[in-house]
Each structure stands twice: as C-alpha cells, then as structure tokens.
Amino acid sequence: MIIEHPLLGPRDAAEFTYLGDAAMIDRPDWQSGDAIREFHDYLYLRDNPAGEHRELWFHEQGDRSWLVVTRNTTTHEITKVELARDTALASGRHR
Amino acid sequence: MNYSGFRVFWEGLTGNAGWKPAWRDPDPRAEYDIVIVGGGGHGLATAYYLAKEFGQRNIAVVEKGWIGSGNVGRNTTIVRSNYLLPGNEPFYEFSLKLWEGLEQDFNFNAMVSQRGIVNLYHSDAQRDAFARRGNAMRLAGADAVLLDQDGIRELCPFLDFDNARFPIRGGLWQPRGGTVRHDAVAWGYARGADKNGVDILQNCEVTGFQIDNGVCKGVETSRGKIRAKKVAVCVAGSSSRVMERAGMRLPIESHVLQAFVTEGLKPIIPGVITFGAGHFYVSQSDKGGLVFGGDIDGYNTYAQRGNLPVVEDVCEGGMAIMPMIGRARVLRMWGGVVDMSMDGSPFIDKTAIEGLYFNGGWCYGGFKATPASGYCYAHLIARGEPHPVAVDYRLDRFRHGAMIDEKGAGAQPNLH
C-alpha cells in the first residue's frame, strides 16, 4: 500500500506503524458520570467495519507525524489522507 | 456408512459403487432447538459435540458459503498446547487430547501427525522464559522438553546455529504437537454431525437476528427465517460484521494473516520449527511442500490477501534460521481474515441477549483450538454454564480487568 502523505507525498506503508480506528482521537471525558463505561468502550470495543475505515497511522520511519487515513478494508484502496492534528483541531480539540 | 480399511478394500473389489455423500443437503426447517451460525471447523465441531456428547437433537448449522470455506481451509495446520497462562493452557491441552483421539471418535482420517513442535530460543533471557513456559505446560498436564543446542542439533541439524545476530542456543520442544489435515477436520466433523442428525445448511447467509425484548428467537437468512431456541454464532474473521446485526460491538479487529507453500521437496523438516527472534514458523506437509508463515499484516482488513512487506519479513525470518530455505521456490501464498482480540485470547460466552451465544476472537490460533472450542461451546450451550477449561473466555473480561494477555502487549490487537 502507498500512503499519500499530505506533506511528503507518496510513501510506502511499511514506513508507518498502525494504531487503529481514528475514533481513538476522541477520548471520553474523565469527569463524566459514566466515565468507567465510556473508557471501557473507548479502549476495548471497535466498530471494525468492512468497507470504509478511518484509521491512525504513525510515520515512524519518516517525519513522525500521525495521519488519519481513510481506507477501504475490503479492497485496501486509500481514498483520503489527512494530518491527525488537523482532524483533531477541526473536531474542537485545542491541543 | 463406517469408513475402514476393510471398506476401502471391499469398495475396490466392487467398483467403488457403494460410496455415498458424506453428509446430506437438507432444506431448512422452520424451527430448530439450536442454530449454529458458521459452518467452519469450530461451528461443525460445536454441532458434532452438541449432538454426540450433550444429547441435543434438532440442530442446524447455517453457512454462508460452503462448509470449510473459511479459515479452517486457510491455516497452516499446526496443533500444539504450548501456552503459558492458566486461563489458556488447560484449554489448549484439552484440545490437544481431543486431537489425539479425534480420528477414532469421528471415524474420519484427519491425518493427525504428532511430529513435534520446537520453539527456538536465542538468548539467556529467552531460555528462562521458555523454562517457565515449559513448567506451566507440565503443570497443566502437557508435555514439554527444554533442549540445549545439542538437543536441537540432533532434531534439526540444518539450522544456522552460529548466526551472527541470533545464534540458536536451544529450544522448547513439545513432542505431542504437530499438524493435522485441515480440510479433513471440517469434513470429519460435518460427517459426524450429520450422522447424529444435524442439518448442515450451506449457501445460507444470516442476514439478521430476530430479537424480541432482549431475547433471541431465531435468525433471518438468505433461505428464509429460521426460529430457534438458541442461536450460537461462530464466525471468527467476520465476528464484528455478524454481531453488528445483533447490535453488538466487540473487542475485536479483523486482520489478515498470510501463509506460504513451496514446491514439494523430499522430507527435510522433522516437525514444526519456530524462530524465537523474529516471527517465522515452518512445517512440511505430507505432499512435501514447506508450509510457513509469520506475522499478521497489522492493519484492519477483510480482504483475504496481504501486502508484500510482510512477505519480505517472513522470508527474512526463514533465511535467518535455515538459509537452505532460500533454495526452495514459493508456489502459493494466501491470506485469511482473523479476529484479533484486545488481549490475544478468544471468547466463548453468552451475550447480554438471552439465547444468543458468541464464540470468536481466535486471533491467528483458531485451528489448534477447534476440538476444544467446539466441545466447550457445546457445553455452554447445552448446560448453560462454561466448561471448566474455558471459564475465563468471557466477553466482559476487560470490564473486570481479567484479560488473558499471553504477550503482555495491552489493548492493541495488531501487537498480539
């Protein structure tokens, strides 16, 4: 697989390590009354879809940026690559 | 019809006219006591033991494609019970004992071949870890022998003992480990289940569950609705996709594991050999091909094929321990989709929905577990409580901090 890095251009997927579902960017609120259940679900449960999947890749052998890659899990086709930082800021995270 | 040497001889004399299909191809009935979703090794084994050991009747196995079309036909056929943790080892040893009696039990030649498995170690620390693992195995009634370098030389003289980076110091040997003809396991269980009255319904995809007030009352399939008192899902590789139809999210990611076979060679590999410093394992099939594999690819996928970086990594592992493998040519390679769970261990449990049971999360090690998985799942379904060797395989174990993490890698499925 070739990942189209937003800053560096096309890079071999072997340069990256994989973390998983990009939903992990959104940590639950630790002060929520239901925090224990929310953190259990956040840590251990996954949607694991067959089809389009937004996921976190870390460019470990490159510029060490985190990317959000939109990839089809049935074909391995990559349709979108964003910097995870941009995704997090756009969703309201301040750091 | 009973299979035997005499039968083969007799059929040979009478023009092989007496052989019959090994199982029926019935139409779905409107209702069963138990519907098992998934006609792979585990599903068929579950049906077989439910009928044979737990006295259940009126059982159906529904399968989307043809039986044995999933991972039971895509694995590297290794059986072993060399686990460390108390939640795992007794279960896998129970499985190995079932393998040992399986062919007599279901009257089918599954070519169970206990040629032994050796895990190589390359450092003092690894030797200590393997000594501990061997002791844990023996405590659970399994066999384990810690071999030094001379012992390994006797077993496998062709290894690269003096490798500059990872010299081979010895290994943990389990003589009772080995290989089994994988397709024959599915066929043997299917034939055995059918003989005991189980309906095997192929080309019958489950498209939904009939759930009424938290009680599962049946399944909707591509061949019509089937009512059932109990529905047991057993579809590792596709667990998340199927359980989503019952509104459940699972502690599972789907990943691809690749495997490779070379051209047929004369007998050279005595049993199963695994590399301790990278991820590589190899055995030799009865046809002579070297069967080998290594790590999973490491990203979510439902495609039954992997990518080249892992191919390279696996072949490097092979070259590191036995450079002679470089002379062999790879004939085939393929991938199988596996349920990678959050702690690397499986699930055999009830769900929060009454009458709905779940078996999955077998990671890359489901084949060796087939008999015990079927037996313990059947125990749970028939008796309503887990089998003593499978009590820890609970779906809610992460909620209670009771994970079974052999590798200590944490909630990161691609690291297990």
Side-chain angles (χ1 to χ4, degrees), chain A residues 1 12 14 18-21 24 37 40-41 43-51 53 55 57 71 73-76, chain B residues 240-241 249-256 298-303 305-307 309 342 396 398-399 403 411-414:
Chain A
M1 291 186 291
D12 194 316
Y18 178 82
L19 184 66
D21 196 325
M24 281 186 281
R37 189 191 59 77
H40 167 269
D41 295 0
L43 258 175
Y44 296 113
L45 301 185
R46 298 286 181 270
D47 285 339
N48 194 22
H53 188 227
E55 54 202 20
W57 291 73
R71 191 178 56 94
T73 58
T74 58
T75 62
H76 297 165
Chain B
S240 299
R241 275 204 277 191
R249 287 174 84 215
L250 299 175
I252 286 171
E253 286 179 1
S254 294
H255 286 256
V256 64
Y299 44 80
N300 284 48
T301 178
Y302 285 92
R305 61 178 186 281
N307 271 290
M342 287 290 158
D396 66 351
F398 302 104
R399 214 177 283 282
M403 45 283 268
Q412 182 67 42
N414 63 351

CSV table of all heavy atoms in Angstrom, one decimal, chain A residues 1 12 14 18-21 24 37 40-41 43-51 53 55 57 71 73-76, chain B residues 240-241 249-256 298-303 305-307 309 342 396 398-399 403 411-414:
chain,number,residue,atom,x,y,z
A,1,MET,N,0.8,-1.2,0.0
A,1,MET,CA,0.0,0.0,0.0
A,1,MET,C,0.9,1.2,0.0
A,1,MET,O,1.9,1.3,0.7
A,1,MET,CB,-0.9,0.0,1.2
A,1,MET,CG,-2.0,-1.1,1.2
A,1,MET,SD,-3.1,-0.9,2.6
A,1,MET,CE,-2.1,-1.4,4.0
A,12,ASP,N,5.7,4.5,1.1
A,12,ASP,CA,5.3,3.0,1.3
A,12,ASP,C,4.7,2.9,2.7
A,12,ASP,O,5.3,3.4,3.7
A,12,ASP,CB,6.6,2.2,1.2
A,12,ASP,CG,6.3,0.7,1.1
A,12,ASP,OD1,5.5,0.2,1.8
A,12,ASP,OD2,7.0,0.1,0.2
A,14,ALA,N,5.0,0.5,4.6
A,14,ALA,CA,6.0,-0.1,5.5
A,14,ALA,C,6.7,0.9,6.4
A,14,ALA,O,7.3,0.5,7.4
A,14,ALA,CB,7.0,-1.0,4.7
A,18,TYR,N,0.8,1.1,12.6
A,18,TYR,CA,-0.6,1.2,12.6
A,18,TYR,C,-1.2,1.2,14.0
A,18,TYR,O,-0.8,0.4,14.8
A,18,TYR,CB,-1.2,0.1,11.8
A,18,TYR,CG,-2.7,0.0,11.7
A,18,TYR,CD1,-3.3,0.8,10.8
A,18,TYR,CD2,-3.4,-0.8,12.5
A,18,TYR,CE1,-4.7,0.8,10.7
A,18,TYR,CE2,-4.8,-0.8,12.4
A,18,TYR,CZ,-5.4,-0.1,11.5
A,18,TYR,OH,-6.8,-0.1,11.4
A,19,LEU,N,-2.0,2.1,14.3
A,19,LEU,CA,-2.7,2.1,15.6
A,19,LEU,C,-4.1,1.6,15.6
A,19,LEU,O,-4.4,0.7,16.4
A,19,LEU,CB,-2.7,3.5,16.3
A,19,LEU,CG,-3.2,3.5,17.7
A,19,LEU,CD1,-2.3,2.8,18.6
A,19,LEU,CD2,-3.4,4.9,18.2
A,20,GLY,N,-4.9,2.1,14.7
A,20,GLY,CA,-6.3,1.6,14.6
A,20,GLY,C,-7.3,2.7,14.4
A,20,GLY,O,-6.9,3.8,13.9
A,21,ASP,N,-8.5,2.4,14.7
A,21,ASP,CA,-9.7,3.3,14.4
A,21,ASP,C,-9.4,4.7,14.9
A,21,ASP,O,-9.0,5.0,16.0
A,21,ASP,CB,-10.9,2.7,15.2
A,21,ASP,CG,-12.2,3.4,14.6
A,21,ASP,OD1,-12.2,4.5,14.2
A,21,ASP,OD2,-13.2,2.6,14.6
A,24,MET,N,-10.3,6.9,18.1
A,24,MET,CA,-9.4,6.9,19.3
A,24,MET,C,-8.9,8.3,19.5
A,24,MET,O,-8.4,8.6,20.6
A,24,MET,CB,-8.3,5.9,19.3
A,24,MET,CG,-8.8,4.5,19.6
A,24,MET,SD,-7.4,3.3,19.7
A,24,MET,CE,-7.1,3.0,18.0
A,37,ARG,N,-17.6,3.2,32.1
A,37,ARG,CA,-18.2,2.5,30.9
A,37,ARG,C,-17.6,3.1,29.6
A,37,ARG,O,-17.2,2.4,28.7
A,37,ARG,CB,-19.7,2.6,30.9
A,37,ARG,CG,-20.3,1.7,29.8
A,37,ARG,CD,-21.8,1.9,29.7
A,37,ARG,NE,-22.1,3.3,29.3
A,37,ARG,CZ,-21.9,3.8,28.1
A,37,ARG,NH1,-21.5,3.0,27.1
A,37,ARG,NH2,-22.2,5.1,27.8
A,40,HIS,N,-14.1,2.0,29.0
A,40,HIS,CA,-14.1,0.6,28.6
A,40,HIS,C,-14.4,0.5,27.1
A,40,HIS,O,-13.6,-0.1,26.4
A,40,HIS,CB,-15.1,-0.2,29.4
A,40,HIS,CG,-15.3,-1.6,28.9
A,40,HIS,ND1,-16.3,-1.8,27.9
A,40,HIS,CD2,-14.7,-2.7,29.0
A,40,HIS,CE1,-16.3,-3.1,27.6
A,40,HIS,NE2,-15.3,-3.7,28.2
A,41,ASP,N,-15.4,1.2,26.7
A,41,ASP,CA,-15.8,1.1,25.3
A,41,ASP,C,-14.7,1.7,24.4
A,41,ASP,O,-14.4,1.2,23.4
A,41,ASP,CB,-17.2,1.8,25.1
A,41,ASP,CG,-18.3,1.1,25.8
A,41,ASP,OD1,-18.0,0.1,26.5
A,41,ASP,OD2,-19.5,1.6,25.7
A,43,LEU,N,-11.5,2.0,25.0
A,43,LEU,CA,-10.3,1.2,25.0
A,43,LEU,C,-10.5,-0.1,24.3
A,43,LEU,O,-9.6,-0.5,23.6
A,43,LEU,CB,-9.8,0.9,26.4
A,43,LEU,CG,-8.7,1.7,27.0
A,43,LEU,CD1,-8.5,1.3,28.5
A,43,LEU,CD2,-7.4,1.5,26.3
A,44,TYR,N,-11.6,-0.7,24.5
A,44,TYR,CA,-11.7,-2.2,24.1
A,44,TYR,C,-12.6,-2.5,23.0
A,44,TYR,O,-12.5,-3.5,22.4
A,44,TYR,CB,-12.1,-3.0,25.3
A,44,TYR,CG,-11.0,-3.0,26.4
A,44,TYR,CD1,-11.2,-2.3,27.7
A,44,TYR,CD2,-9.7,-3.5,26.2
A,44,TYR,CE1,-10.3,-2.3,28.6
A,44,TYR,CE2,-8.8,-3.5,27.2
A,44,TYR,CZ,-9.0,-2.9,28.4
A,44,TYR,OH,-8.1,-2.8,29.4
A,45,LEU,N,-13.6,-1.6,22.7
A,45,LEU,CA,-14.6,-2.0,21.7
A,45,LEU,C,-14.3,-1.3,20.4
A,45,LEU,O,-13.9,-0.1,20.4
A,45,LEU,CB,-16.0,-1.7,22.2
A,45,LEU,CG,-16.5,-2.4,23.5
A,45,LEU,CD1,-17.9,-2.1,23.7
A,45,LEU,CD2,-16.2,-3.9,23.4
A,46,ARG,N,-14.5,-2.0,19.3
A,46,ARG,CA,-14.3,-1.4,18.0
A,46,ARG,C,-15.4,-1.6,17.0
A,46,ARG,O,-16.1,-2.6,17.1
A,46,ARG,CB,-13.0,-2.0,17.4
A,46,ARG,CG,-11.7,-1.8,18.1
A,46,ARG,CD,-11.2,-0.4,18.0
A,46,ARG,NE,-9.9,-0.3,18.8
A,46,ARG,CZ,-9.8,0.1,20.0
A,46,ARG,NH1,-10.9,0.4,20.7
A,46,ARG,NH2,-8.6,0.2,20.6
A,47,ASP,N,-15.6,-0.6,16.1
A,47,ASP,CA,-16.7,-0.8,15.1
A,47,ASP,C,-16.2,-1.9,14.1
A,47,ASP,O,-17.0,-2.7,13.6
A,47,ASP,CB,-16.9,0.5,14.3
A,47,ASP,CG,-17.8,1.4,15.2
A,47,ASP,OD1,-18.4,1.0,16.1
A,47,ASP,OD2,-17.7,2.7,14.9
A,48,ASN,N,-14.9,-1.9,13.7
A,48,ASN,CA,-14.4,-2.9,12.8
A,48,ASN,C,-15.2,-3.1,11.5
A,48,ASN,O,-15.6,-4.3,11.2
A,48,ASN,CB,-14.3,-4.2,13.6
A,48,ASN,CG,-13.4,-5.3,12.9
A,48,ASN,OD1,-12.6,-4.9,12.1
A,48,ASN,ND2,-13.6,-6.5,13.3
A,49,PRO,N,-15.4,-2.0,10.8
A,49,PRO,CA,-16.3,-2.2,9.6
A,49,PRO,C,-15.7,-2.9,8.4
A,49,PRO,O,-14.4,-2.8,8.3
A,49,PRO,CB,-16.6,-0.7,9.3
A,49,PRO,CG,-15.4,0.0,9.7
A,49,PRO,CD,-14.9,-0.7,10.9
A,50,ALA,N,-16.5,-3.5,7.6
A,50,ALA,CA,-16.0,-4.0,6.3
A,50,ALA,C,-16.4,-2.9,5.3
A,50,ALA,O,-17.5,-2.7,5.0
A,50,ALA,CB,-16.7,-5.3,5.9
A,51,GLY,N,-15.4,-2.2,4.8
A,51,GLY,CA,-15.6,-1.1,3.9
A,51,GLY,C,-14.8,0.1,4.3
A,51,GLY,O,-13.7,-0.1,4.7
A,53,HIS,N,-12.9,2.8,6.3
A,53,HIS,CA,-12.5,2.8,7.7
A,53,HIS,C,-11.5,4.0,7.8
A,53,HIS,O,-10.5,4.1,7.1
A,53,HIS,CB,-11.7,1.5,8.0
A,53,HIS,CG,-11.4,1.3,9.4
A,53,HIS,ND1,-10.1,0.9,9.8
A,53,HIS,CD2,-12.1,1.5,10.5
A,53,HIS,CE1,-10.1,0.8,11.1
A,53,HIS,NE2,-11.3,1.1,11.6
A,55,GLU,N,-8.6,5.6,10.0
A,55,GLU,CA,-7.6,4.9,10.9
A,55,GLU,C,-6.4,5.7,11.1
A,55,GLU,O,-6.0,6.5,10.2
A,55,GLU,CB,-7.3,3.5,10.4
A,55,GLU,CG,-6.8,3.5,9.0
A,55,GLU,CD,-7.0,2.2,8.3
A,55,GLU,OE1,-7.8,1.4,8.7
A,55,GLU,OE2,-6.3,2.0,7.3
A,57,TRP,N,-2.4,6.2,11.4
A,57,TRP,CA,-1.1,5.6,11.0
A,57,TRP,C,0.0,6.6,11.5
A,57,TRP,O,-0.2,7.8,11.3
A,57,TRP,CB,-1.0,5.4,9.5
A,57,TRP,CG,-1.9,4.4,8.9
A,57,TRP,CD1,-3.2,4.4,8.7
A,57,TRP,CD2,-1.4,3.1,8.4
A,57,TRP,NE1,-3.6,3.3,8.1
A,57,TRP,CE2,-2.6,2.4,7.9
A,57,TRP,CE3,-0.2,2.5,8.2
A,57,TRP,CZ2,-2.5,1.2,7.3
A,57,TRP,CZ3,-0.1,1.2,7.7
A,57,TRP,CH2,-1.3,0.6,7.2
A,71,ARG,N,-9.4,4.4,4.4
A,71,ARG,CA,-9.0,3.2,3.6
A,71,ARG,C,-10.2,2.2,3.5
A,71,ARG,O,-10.9,2.1,4.5
A,71,ARG,CB,-7.8,2.6,4.2
A,71,ARG,CG,-7.1,1.5,3.4
A,71,ARG,CD,-5.8,1.0,4.1
A,71,ARG,NE,-6.2,0.5,5.4
A,71,ARG,CZ,-6.5,-0.7,5.7
A,71,ARG,NH1,-6.4,-1.6,4.7
A,71,ARG,NH2,-6.9,-1.1,6.9
A,73,THR,N,-11.5,-1.4,3.8
A,73,THR,CA,-10.9,-2.6,4.4
A,73,THR,C,-11.2,-3.9,3.6
A,73,THR,O,-10.7,-5.0,3.9
A,73,THR,CB,-11.4,-2.9,5.8
A,73,THR,OG1,-12.8,-3.0,5.8
A,73,THR,CG2,-11.0,-1.8,6.8
A,74,THR,N,-12.0,-3.7,2.5
A,74,THR,CA,-12.2,-4.9,1.6
A,74,THR,C,-11.3,-4.9,0.4
A,74,THR,O,-11.1,-5.9,-0.2
A,74,THR,CB,-13.7,-5.0,1.2
A,74,THR,OG1,-14.1,-3.8,0.5
A,74,THR,CG2,-14.6,-5.2,2.4
A,75,THR,N,-10.8,-3.7,0.0
A,75,THR,CA,-10.0,-3.5,-1.2
A,75,THR,C,-8.6,-3.0,-0.9
A,75,THR,O,-7.8,-3.0,-1.8
A,75,THR,CB,-10.7,-2.6,-2.2
A,75,THR,OG1,-10.8,-1.3,-1.6
A,75,THR,CG2,-12.1,-3.1,-2.6
A,76,HIS,N,-8.4,-2.4,0.3
A,76,HIS,CA,-7.2,-1.7,0.6
A,76,HIS,C,-7.0,-0.4,-0.1
A,76,HIS,O,-5.9,0.2,-0.1
A,76,HIS,CB,-5.9,-2.6,0.4
A,76,HIS,CG,-5.9,-3.8,1.3
A,76,HIS,ND1,-5.1,-4.9,1.1
A,76,HIS,CD2,-6.6,-4.2,2.4
A,76,HIS,CE1,-5.3,-5.8,2.0
A,76,HIS,NE2,-6.2,-5.4,2.8
B,240,SER,N,-17.3,-9.3,13.9
B,240,SER,CA,-17.9,-8.0,14.1
B,240,SER,C,-19.0,-7.7,13.1
B,240,SER,O,-20.0,-7.1,13.5
B,240,SER,CB,-16.8,-6.9,13.9
B,240,SER,OG,-15.8,-7.1,14.8
B,241,ARG,N,-18.9,-8.2,11.9
B,241,ARG,CA,-19.9,-8.0,10.9
B,241,ARG,C,-21.2,-8.7,11.2
B,241,ARG,O,-22.3,-8.1,11.0
B,241,ARG,CB,-19.4,-8.5,9.5
B,241,ARG,CG,-18.6,-7.5,8.8
B,241,ARG,CD,-18.6,-7.8,7.3
B,241,ARG,NE,-17.7,-8.9,6.9
B,241,ARG,CZ,-17.3,-9.2,5.7
B,241,ARG,NH1,-17.9,-8.6,4.7
B,241,ARG,NH2,-16.5,-10.2,5.4
B,249,ARG,N,-21.2,-4.4,19.6
B,249,ARG,CA,-19.8,-4.0,19.3
B,249,ARG,C,-18.9,-5.0,20.0
B,249,ARG,O,-19.1,-5.3,21.2
B,249,ARG,CB,-19.4,-2.6,19.6
B,249,ARG,CG,-20.1,-1.6,18.7
B,249,ARG,CD,-19.8,-0.2,19.3
B,249,ARG,NE,-18.5,0.3,18.8
B,249,ARG,CZ,-17.8,1.1,19.5
B,249,ARG,NH1,-18.1,1.4,20.8
B,249,ARG,NH2,-16.6,1.5,19.0
B,250,LEU,N,-17.8,-5.4,19.4
B,250,LEU,CA,-16.9,-6.4,20.0
B,250,LEU,C,-15.5,-5.9,20.3
B,250,LEU,O,-15.1,-5.0,19.6
B,250,LEU,CB,-16.8,-7.7,19.1
B,250,LEU,CG,-18.1,-8.4,18.8
B,250,LEU,CD1,-17.9,-9.5,17.7
B,250,LEU,CD2,-18.8,-9.0,20.0
B,251,PRO,N,-14.8,-6.5,21.2
B,251,PRO,CA,-13.4,-6.2,21.4
B,251,PRO,C,-12.5,-6.9,20.4
B,251,PRO,O,-11.6,-7.6,20.8
B,251,PRO,CB,-13.1,-6.6,22.9
B,251,PRO,CG,-14.2,-7.7,23.1
B,251,PRO,CD,-15.3,-7.5,22.2
B,252,ILE,N,-12.8,-6.7,19.2
B,252,ILE,CA,-12.1,-7.4,18.1
B,252,ILE,C,-11.9,-6.5,16.9
B,252,ILE,O,-12.7,-5.6,16.5
B,252,ILE,CB,-13.0,-8.6,17.7
B,252,ILE,CG1,-13.0,-9.7,18.7
B,252,ILE,CG2,-12.7,-9.1,16.3
B,252,ILE,CD1,-14.0,-10.8,18.5
B,253,GLU,N,-10.7,-6.7,16.3
B,253,GLU,CA,-10.4,-6.1,15.0
B,253,GLU,C,-10.2,-7.3,14.0
B,253,GLU,O,-9.6,-8.3,14.4
B,253,GLU,CB,-9.2,-5.2,15.0
B,253,GLU,CG,-9.4,-3.9,15.7
B,253,GLU,CD,-8.1,-3.0,15.7
B,253,GLU,OE1,-7.1,-3.5,15.2
B,253,GLU,OE2,-8.1,-1.9,16.3
B,254,SER,N,-10.5,-7.1,12.7
B,254,SER,CA,-10.2,-8.1,11.7
B,254,SER,C,-8.9,-7.8,11.0
B,254,SER,O,-8.7,-6.7,10.6
B,254,SER,CB,-11.3,-8.2,10.7
B,254,SER,OG,-12.5,-8.6,11.3
B,255,HIS,N,-8.0,-8.8,11.0
B,255,HIS,CA,-6.7,-8.6,10.4
B,255,HIS,C,-6.5,-9.7,9.4
B,255,HIS,O,-7.1,-10.8,9.5
B,255,HIS,CB,-5.6,-8.6,11.4
B,255,HIS,CG,-5.6,-7.3,12.2
B,255,HIS,ND1,-4.7,-6.3,12.0
B,255,HIS,CD2,-6.4,-6.8,13.2
B,255,HIS,CE1,-4.9,-5.3,12.8
B,255,HIS,NE2,-5.9,-5.6,13.6
B,256,VAL,N,-5.4,-9.6,8.6
B,256,VAL,CA,-5.1,-10.7,7.6
B,256,VAL,C,-3.8,-11.3,8.0
B,256,VAL,O,-2.8,-10.7,8.4
B,256,VAL,CB,-5.0,-10.2,6.2
B,256,VAL,CG1,-3.9,-9.2,5.9
B,256,VAL,CG2,-4.9,-11.3,5.2
B,298,GLY,N,-1.2,-6.4,10.1
B,298,GLY,CA,-1.2,-5.4,11.1
B,298,GLY,C,-2.1,-4.2,11.0
B,298,GLY,O,-2.0,-3.3,11.7
B,299,TYR,N,-3.0,-4.3,9.9
B,299,TYR,CA,-4.0,-3.2,9.8
B,299,TYR,C,-5.3,-3.9,9.6
B,299,TYR,O,-5.4,-5.0,9.1
B,299,TYR,CB,-3.6,-2.3,8.6
B,299,TYR,CG,-3.2,-3.1,7.4
B,299,TYR,CD1,-4.2,-3.8,6.5
B,299,TYR,CD2,-1.9,-3.3,7.1
B,299,TYR,CE1,-3.8,-4.6,5.5
B,299,TYR,CE2,-1.5,-4.1,6.0
B,299,TYR,CZ,-2.4,-4.7,5.2
B,299,TYR,OH,-2.0,-5.5,4.2
B,300,ASN,N,-6.4,-3.2,9.9
B,300,ASN,CA,-7.7,-3.7,9.7
B,300,ASN,C,-8.0,-4.1,8.3
B,300,ASN,O,-7.7,-3.3,7.4
B,300,ASN,CB,-8.8,-2.7,10.1
B,300,ASN,CG,-8.9,-2.5,11.6
B,300,ASN,OD1,-7.9,-2.3,12.3
B,300,ASN,ND2,-10.2,-2.5,12.1
B,301,THR,N,-8.5,-5.3,8.1
B,301,THR,CA,-8.8,-5.7,6.7
B,301,THR,C,-9.8,-6.9,6.7
B,301,THR,O,-9.7,-7.7,7.6
B,301,THR,CB,-7.5,-6.0,5.9
B,301,THR,OG1,-8.0,-6.4,4.6
B,301,THR,CG2,-6.7,-7.1,6.5
B,302,TYR,N,-10.6,-6.9,5.7
B,302,TYR,CA,-11.4,-8.1,5.4
B,302,TYR,C,-11.0,-8.7,4.1
B,302,TYR,O,-11.7,-9.6,3.6
B,302,TYR,CB,-12.9,-7.7,5.4
B,302,TYR,CG,-13.5,-7.4,6.7
B,302,TYR,CD1,-13.5,-6.2,7.3
B,302,TYR,CD2,-14.0,-8.5,7.5
B,302,TYR,CE1,-14.1,-5.9,8.5
B,302,TYR,CE2,-14.6,-8.3,8.7
B,302,TYR,CZ,-14.6,-7.0,9.2
B,302,TYR,OH,-15.2,-6.8,10.5
B,303,ALA,N,-10.0,-8.2,3.4
B,303,ALA,CA,-9.5,-8.8,2.2
B,303,ALA,C,-8.7,-10.0,2.5
B,303,ALA,O,-7.8,-10.0,3.3
B,303,ALA,CB,-8.7,-7.7,1.4
B,305,ARG,N,-6.2,-11.2,1.4
B,305,ARG,CA,-4.8,-11.1,0.8
B,305,ARG,C,-4.1,-10.1,1.6
B,305,ARG,O,-4.7,-9.1,2.1
B,305,ARG,CB,-4.9,-10.8,-0.7
B,305,ARG,CG,-5.5,-9.5,-0.9
B,305,ARG,CD,-5.5,-9.1,-2.4
B,305,ARG,NE,-6.0,-7.8,-2.6
B,305,ARG,CZ,-7.3,-7.4,-2.6
B,305,ARG,NH1,-8.2,-8.4,-2.4
B,305,ARG,NH2,-7.7,-6.2,-2.8
B,306,GLY,N,-2.7,-10.2,1.6
B,306,GLY,CA,-1.9,-9.3,2.4
B,306,GLY,C,-1.0,-8.4,1.4
B,306,GLY,O,-1.3,-8.4,0.2
B,307,ASN,N,-0.1,-7.8,2.0
B,307,ASN,CA,0.9,-7.0,1.3
B,307,ASN,C,2.3,-7.5,1.3
B,307,ASN,O,2.6,-8.3,2.2
B,307,ASN,CB,0.8,-5.5,1.8
B,307,ASN,CG,-0.3,-4.7,1.0
B,307,ASN,OD1,-0.2,-4.4,-0.1
B,307,ASN,ND2,-1.4,-4.5,1.8
B,309,PRO,N,5.4,-6.2,2.2
B,309,PRO,CA,6.4,-6.0,3.3
B,309,PRO,C,6.4,-7.2,4.3
B,309,PRO,O,7.4,-7.6,4.7
B,309,PRO,CB,5.9,-4.7,4.0
B,309,PRO,CG,5.2,-3.9,2.9
B,309,PRO,CD,4.6,-5.0,2.0
B,342,MET,N,-8.6,-8.0,21.9
B,342,MET,CA,-7.8,-7.0,22.6
B,342,MET,C,-6.7,-7.5,23.5
B,342,MET,O,-5.9,-6.8,24.0
B,342,MET,CB,-8.8,-6.1,23.4
B,342,MET,CG,-9.6,-5.2,22.5
B,342,MET,SD,-8.6,-3.9,21.8
B,342,MET,CE,-9.6,-3.5,20.4
B,396,ASP,N,-16.9,-10.1,28.8
B,396,ASP,CA,-16.8,-8.9,29.6
B,396,ASP,C,-15.6,-8.8,30.5
B,396,ASP,O,-15.5,-8.1,31.4
B,396,ASP,CB,-18.1,-8.8,30.5
B,396,ASP,CG,-18.1,-9.9,31.6
B,396,ASP,OD1,-17.3,-10.9,31.5
B,396,ASP,OD2,-18.9,-9.9,32.5
B,398,PHE,N,-12.7,-7.6,30.0
B,398,PHE,CA,-11.9,-6.3,30.0
B,398,PHE,C,-12.6,-5.3,31.0
B,398,PHE,O,-11.9,-4.5,31.6
B,398,PHE,CB,-11.9,-5.7,28.6
B,398,PHE,CG,-11.3,-6.6,27.6
B,398,PHE,CD1,-12.1,-7.3,26.7
B,398,PHE,CD2,-9.9,-6.8,27.6
B,398,PHE,CE1,-11.6,-8.1,25.8
B,398,PHE,CE2,-9.4,-7.7,26.7
B,398,PHE,CZ,-10.2,-8.3,25.8
B,399,ARG,N,-13.9,-5.5,31.2
B,399,ARG,CA,-14.6,-4.6,32.2
B,399,ARG,C,-14.1,-4.9,33.6
B,399,ARG,O,-14.1,-4.1,34.5
B,399,ARG,CB,-16.1,-5.0,32.1
B,399,ARG,CG,-17.0,-3.8,32.3
B,399,ARG,CD,-18.4,-4.2,32.2
B,399,ARG,NE,-18.8,-4.3,30.8
B,399,ARG,CZ,-19.1,-3.3,30.0
B,399,ARG,NH1,-19.1,-2.1,30.5
B,399,ARG,NH2,-19.5,-3.5,28.7
B,403,MET,N,-8.1,-9.8,31.7
B,403,MET,CA,-7.7,-10.2,30.4
B,403,MET,C,-6.7,-11.3,30.5
B,403,MET,O,-6.0,-11.5,31.5
B,403,MET,CB,-7.1,-9.0,29.6
B,403,MET,CG,-6.2,-8.1,30.3
B,403,MET,SD,-7.1,-7.0,31.4
B,403,MET,CE,-7.4,-5.6,30.4
B,411,ALA,N,-4.1,-3.5,25.0
B,411,ALA,CA,-5.2,-3.5,24.2
B,411,ALA,C,-4.9,-3.0,22.8
B,411,ALA,O,-5.4,-2.0,22.3
B,411,ALA,CB,-6.3,-2.6,24.8
B,412,GLN,N,-4.0,-3.7,22.1
B,412,GLN,CA,-3.5,-3.3,20.8
B,412,GLN,C,-3.5,-4.6,19.9
B,412,GLN,O,-2.5,-5.3,19.9
B,412,GLN,CB,-2.1,-2.7,21.0
B,412,GLN,CG,-1.5,-2.2,19.7
B,412,GLN,CD,-2.2,-1.0,19.1
B,412,GLN,OE1,-2.6,-0.1,19.8
B,412,GLN,NE2,-2.4,-1.0,17.8
B,413,PRO,N,-4.6,-4.9,19.2
B,413,PRO,CA,-4.8,-6.2,18.6
B,413,PRO,C,-3.6,-6.5,17.6
B,413,PRO,O,-3.3,-7.7,17.6
B,413,PRO,CB,-6.1,-6.0,17.8
B,413,PRO,CG,-6.8,-5.0,18.6
B,413,PRO,CD,-5.8,-4.0,19.1
B,414,ASN,N,-3.1,-5.6,16.9
B,414,ASN,CA,-2.0,-6.0,15.9
B,414,ASN,C,-0.7,-6.3,16.6
B,414,ASN,O,0.2,-6.7,15.9
B,414,ASN,CB,-1.9,-4.9,14.8
B,414,ASN,CG,-1.4,-3.6,15.3
B,414,ASN,OD1,-1.3,-3.4,16.5
B,414,ASN,ND2,-1.1,-2.7,14.4
